[in-house]
Each structure stands twice: as C-alpha cells, then as structure tokens.
Amino acid sequence: MPGRAATNALVGYLNTQIDRIVAGEVGLRGGADPIHDTRVAIRRLRSTLRVFRPDLDSSAIGGLDLDLKWFAGLLGEVRDCQVQLRRFDQAVEELPDVLVLGPVKSRIRNDLKAIELPARARVSEEMDSERYLNLMTALLDLRTTPRVVHAITGKRLRKRVERAGRKADRRLTVALYDGSDEMLHRARKAAKRARYAGELCKPVHSGSRRIIKKYKGIQTLLGDHQDAVVACDVLRRMAVTAGTTQGENGFTYGLLHAREQQIALRSRTAVRRL
C-alpha cells in the first residue's frame, strides 16, 4: 500500500517514545531512577507532536503537549541537580588542593540535595494526581489507536523534516546575531526538533543520517552552553552563601564560575564555526 512505510515510520516513532515513557513510570514506581531516559522520550514525543501536527488528529493530541511539558519539568528539577552534582564534583577534583578553600564539596552536595530531594518527592506525589493519570491514559490511548488523519507519503515526511531544519537554521542565525543566552537556548530546542524529525524519517529518507548528524552537533554545543549558563547561576548563589558563612568563602566557587564561563564561550565559538 502506498504510504505504508511512511505511516509506519511516524506511528512507530510515536509508539517507541510512549513505550519508553511507560517504562519510565514502571521504573520510577519500582524505585529505579530512569529520569534521564524518560525526559528524553518526552522531548522526542513532544517534538514529534509539534513537527508532524498537520498529519495527526488534533482532537486526540490537543492537550498532550502541555501535560508532557509539565511532567518533564518535574523530572527536570531532579535531573538538573544530578547533572550539576556530577559536573561540580569533577570540576573540584580537577583543581589543585591549594585552591579548594573550605568545605566546597559538602556545600555543593548539601545545597543540591536540598533541592533534589523535595523535587523527587513532588514527582512521586504528582504521579498519583489526576492530571498525571489522565496523561498516561491519553498516551496509552494514542499508542493503541494511532491518530494519523490521512495517507502519509515519504515525500510529505521529508517536507516536515526540511521545514524543521530551516526553522532551526533561522533560529541559530538569529541567536548568533542576538547573542543572548535565551535565544541560544531557543536555537538549541529547534535543533533538537530537527534532529528528532530526522530520526523519525530515517526509514524513508536516505538523507536523514546527514540531517541527524548536523543538528545533533548543534544541539550538543548549545547544550554545553546552556549547561554552563545554568551552572554559573547555581555557583553564584553558592558563592554568596559561602561568603557569608563562618569558616567558608567564595574563592573556589569563583574559580568554578570562571571555568563555566570559559565553557560557554568555547561553545559559542564552536557553533559559529559550523
């Protein structure tokens, strides 16, 4: 049947992400920690619903994006702390002992755990909420009954991918001209959508490998930049607290802050060379 491969590519990609989200729920309820994989699946699903929206039944997916964004935000509060803890631990380890003044590692760990533990409790609490249960019901319904509104061809899918790529290119051009952290973050999200669209289209588009490689590279560099921007904010707050606490000072946090600024600068420079 014409269009079968393209339709299968779209439905299969959607179903794969839903399966991973469901597996994440099972893991979370079972005491595992699949937060990163679940967030990635949510990002891919949201991206697909957005890029390929004209090919899907809007009445069936209308409220999914907001609910997925909400739950991803809850998971993100936990995941960000985990990432920052590993990032800062490694950075401190790389400093000479003479430059680590005061209980830096314990301050980092305690401050981040004070954020992570309540955030993790919120995830558990919200997973019993009506909103979350309705979200999971909607996802399982979409998994059982794919909502493709018309016959889809490989050409139609390729056009969606190309459009996502053009939008990502425009966002990056504007971001590099504007130079703001917010615009670079928006460019990163557009690059993700282009990359994920390329992944979906891979079974029916021979050029997808090139598209995936291009936008994955942009996403990675802008991700490094965003991580550094967030890290700078966290370190600044820690430095202020340490600087007013007896037995501590902000010196080492200042060094770590400068390191993150350098990472952000290198990322910006690397993106400009692409």
Side-chain angles (χ1 to χ4, degrees):
M1 179 184 296
R4 173 74 64 120
T7 300
N8 288 346
L10 174 56
V11 173
Y13 195 82
L14 284 169
N15 289 348
T16 296
Q17 309 321 314
I18 294 171
D19 288 345
R20 288 173 179 168
I21 294 169
V22 172
E25 179 191 34
V26 173
L28 286 167
R29 292 193 185 278
D33 196 28
I35 287 178
H36 173 65
D37 291 344
T38 306
R39 285 186 75 207
V40 171
I42 290 174
R43 283 200 297 264
R44 283 188 164 98
L45 180 56
R46 290 186 64 212
S47 175
T48 303
L49 294 177
R50 182 167 179 175
V51 173
F52 298 93
R53 180 173 290 275
D55 304 306
L56 301 168
D57 181 359
S58 59
S59 65
I61 64 172
L64 273 178
D65 185 66
L66 285 177
D67 288 338
L68 287 166
K69 181 179 180 180
W70 160 74
F71 189 59
L74 295 174
L75 296 177
E77 292 179 12
V78 178
R79 178 63 181 171
D80 289 348
C81 291
Q82 295 173 333
V83 170
Q84 289 160 6
L85 181 56
R86 285 199 298 269
R87 186 184 189 93
F88 297 156
D89 270 350
Q90 179 181 349
V92 174
E93 284 293 332
E94 293 173 359
L95 288 175
D97 290 344
V98 70
L99 298 181
V100 182
L101 306 184
V104 177
K105 273 200 168 185
S106 61
R107 159 70 65 185
I108 289 172
R109 179 170 295 277
N110 291 339
D111 282 12
L112 290 176
K113 285 295 181 181
I115 299 171
E116 180 188 346
L117 295 178
R120 191 178 290 277
R122 282 193 294 274
V123 170
S124 297
E125 180 180 347
E126 291 297 343
M127 284 179 67
D128 290 325
S129 70
E130 183 177 0
R131 183 176 187 179
Y132 177 80
L133 297 175
N134 287 341
L135 168 61
M136 295 306 296
T137 298
L139 290 178
L140 292 173
D141 181 58
L142 181 62
R143 177 72 172 83
T144 305
T145 310
R147 305 305 177 95
V148 179
V149 294
H150 48 66
I152 299 175
T153 63
K155 182 178 179 180
R156 182 184 291 273
L157 288 190
R158 288 194 294 274
K159 284 185 176 180
R160 302 283 183 234
V161 176
E162 290 164 2
R163 177 179 291 182
R166 288 194 300 270
K167 185 170 184 177
D169 292 343
R170 288 195 303 270
R171 283 274 179 90
L172 182 59
T173 299
V174 171
L176 291 175
Y177 177 79
D178 178 271
S180 71
D181 295 336
E182 175 59 28
M183 292 303 295
L184 287 167
H185 186 43
R186 292 185 66 192
R188 175 198 181 195
K189 290 190 285 187
K192 282 183 185 180
R193 288 192 290 271
R195 172 195 170 185
Y196 297 154
E199 290 177 349
L200 183 153
C201 209
K202 199 172 179 180
V204 294
H205 184 13
S206 60
S208 288
R209 192 177 301 275
R210 173 185 54 80
I211 293 168
I212 295 167
K213 182 178 179 180
K214 172 184 176 180
Y215 291 107
K216 182 179 180 180
I218 294 172
Q219 174 193 341
T220 298
L221 289 172
L222 292 179
D224 291 342
H225 178 270
Q226 178 64 15
D227 288 345
V229 168
V230 173
C232 281
D233 287 340
V234 174
L235 289 166
R236 189 181 300 111
R237 292 194 297 271
M238 288 182 180
V240 169
T241 304
T244 56
T245 301
Q246 187 174 3
E248 298 187 51
N249 65 77
F251 176 81
T252 303
Y253 305 96
L255 295 179
L256 296 176
H257 187 278
R259 174 183 180 273
E260 297 296 344
Q261 287 182 315
Q262 287 298 312
I263 291 172
L265 179 59
R266 287 198 300 268
S267 299
R268 284 173 180 258
T269 302
V271 169
R272 289 184 183 277
R273 291 174 180 164
L274 291 177

